[in-house]
Amino acid sequence: MEKQMLKYVGKTVEIIYCGNGGSITQRRIEVQAVENHIVKAFCYQRRALRVFRIENVLAVQPVVRHAG
Protein backbone atom coordinates (compact mmCIF):
# COMPACT_ATOMS: atom_id res chain seq x y z
CA MET A 1 0.00 0.00 0.00
CA GLU A 2 2.93 2.37 0.64
CA LYS A 3 4.03 2.22 -3.03
CA GLN A 4 0.43 2.81 -4.09
CA MET A 5 0.17 5.88 -1.84
CA LEU A 6 3.46 7.32 -3.14
CA LYS A 7 1.92 7.91 -6.57
CA TYR A 8 -0.72 10.14 -4.96
CA VAL A 9 1.68 12.67 -3.40
CA GLY A 10 0.35 16.11 -4.35
CA LYS A 11 -3.05 14.69 -5.32
CA THR A 12 -6.46 14.43 -3.68
CA VAL A 13 -7.82 10.98 -2.88
CA GLU A 14 -10.70 9.40 -0.99
CA ILE A 15 -9.71 6.85 1.63
CA ILE A 16 -11.57 4.44 3.84
CA TYR A 17 -9.72 4.50 7.15
CA CYS A 18 -9.89 2.45 10.32
CA GLY A 19 -9.14 4.85 13.15
CA ASN A 20 -8.43 4.40 16.82
CA GLY A 21 -10.97 2.22 18.54
CA GLY A 22 -11.94 0.56 15.26
CA SER A 23 -14.10 3.39 13.91
CA ILE A 24 -14.23 3.39 10.11
CA THR A 25 -14.44 6.70 8.27
CA GLN A 26 -14.31 7.93 4.70
CA ARG A 27 -11.97 10.88 4.23
CA ARG A 28 -10.99 13.14 1.36
CA ILE A 29 -7.31 13.99 1.77
CA GLU A 30 -4.55 15.73 -0.16
CA VAL A 31 -1.47 13.57 0.21
CA GLN A 32 1.62 15.60 1.09
CA ALA A 33 4.16 12.91 2.01
CA VAL A 34 4.48 9.16 2.45
CA GLU A 35 7.28 7.84 4.64
CA ASN A 36 7.87 5.07 7.19
CA HIS A 37 4.36 3.62 6.75
CA ILE A 38 2.78 7.03 7.46
CA VAL A 39 0.76 9.28 5.15
CA LYS A 40 0.93 12.99 5.94
CA ALA A 41 -2.02 14.78 4.39
CA PHE A 42 -4.45 17.66 4.57
CA CYS A 43 -7.82 16.25 5.63
CA TYR A 44 -10.74 18.18 4.11
CA GLN A 45 -13.16 16.76 6.70
CA ARG A 46 -11.12 18.00 9.66
CA ARG A 47 -9.70 21.00 7.75
CA ALA A 48 -6.28 20.27 9.19
CA LEU A 49 -3.05 18.43 8.57
CA ARG A 50 -3.36 14.82 9.73
CA VAL A 51 -1.24 11.70 9.91
CA PHE A 52 -2.62 8.34 8.77
CA ARG A 53 -1.06 4.92 9.33
CA ILE A 54 -0.83 3.09 6.01
CA GLU A 55 -1.83 -0.22 7.60
CA ASN A 56 -5.13 1.40 8.64
CA VAL A 57 -5.99 2.58 5.12
CA LEU A 58 -8.54 0.04 3.89
CA ALA A 59 -9.10 1.52 0.41
CA VAL A 60 -7.93 4.45 -1.69
CA GLN A 61 -9.39 6.03 -4.82
CA PRO A 62 -8.25 9.14 -6.70
CA VAL A 63 -10.68 12.06 -6.81
CA VAL A 64 -11.52 12.94 -10.41
CA ARG A 65 -12.32 16.59 -10.95
CA HIS A 66 -14.54 17.40 -13.91
CA ALA A 67 -14.26 20.63 -15.84
CA GLY A 68 -17.39 22.66 -15.28
Side-chain angles (χ1 to χ4, degrees):
M1 179 69 80
E2 188 161 356
K3 277 188 176 183
Q4 182 180 6
M5 291 302 294
L6 276 170
K7 70 181 180 182
Y8 294 123
V9 172
K11 297 188 167 98
T12 301
V13 296
E14 294 268 350
I15 62 170
I16 305 295
Y17 189 75
C18 182
N20 294 336
S23 62
I24 296 177
T25 60
Q26 181 173 348
R27 305 281 185 101
R28 181 173 290 207
I29 63 172
E30 183 178 319
V31 180
Q32 296 184 349
V34 179
E35 53 191 38
N36 300 321
H37 307 288
I38 297 291
V39 176
K40 295 178 183 177
F42 179 82
C43 176
Y44 289 99
Q45 180 179 339
R46 301 283 188 209
R47 294 187 179 115
L49 293 174
R50 306 295 272 198
V51 175
F52 301 92
R53 293 178 175 264
I54 286 182
E55 63 264 20
N56 292 346
V57 176
L58 305 176
V60 60
Q61 178 176 321
V63 172
V64 179
R65 299 188 182 173
H66 299 285

